[in-house]
Amino acid sequence: MSYKCSRCKRDVELDEYGGVRCPYCGHRVLLKERARDVKEVDVQ
């Protein structure tokens, strides 16, 4: 799963056993990347 470090802004790939820390700067706040597609809601 792809995340972005909130301190150094680098892309981080986490595996299920890696923990939640940026491997580049050690910061513990990672932001989940949002999907770029636009969803439409059908209003009736």
Side-chain angles (χ1 to χ4, degrees):
M1 193 163 261
S2 180
Y3 294 89
K4 186 172 288 257
C5 176
S6 65
R7 180 184 287 166
C8 69
K9 309 293 187 224
R10 294 176 89 174
D11 291 326
V12 176
E13 289 288 329
L14 295 181
D15 58 0
E16 55 188 88
Y17 304 110
V20 182
R21 237 179 230 277
C22 176
Y24 305 106
C25 69
H27 197 60
R28 295 181 68 186
V29 178
L30 302 176
L31 306 172
K32 187 174 182 180
E33 292 289 308
R34 291 184 175 217
R36 301 211 187 275
D37 58 337
V38 176
K39 296 180 182 179
E40 293 184 18
V41 178
D42 184 28
V43 179
Q44 294 180 343

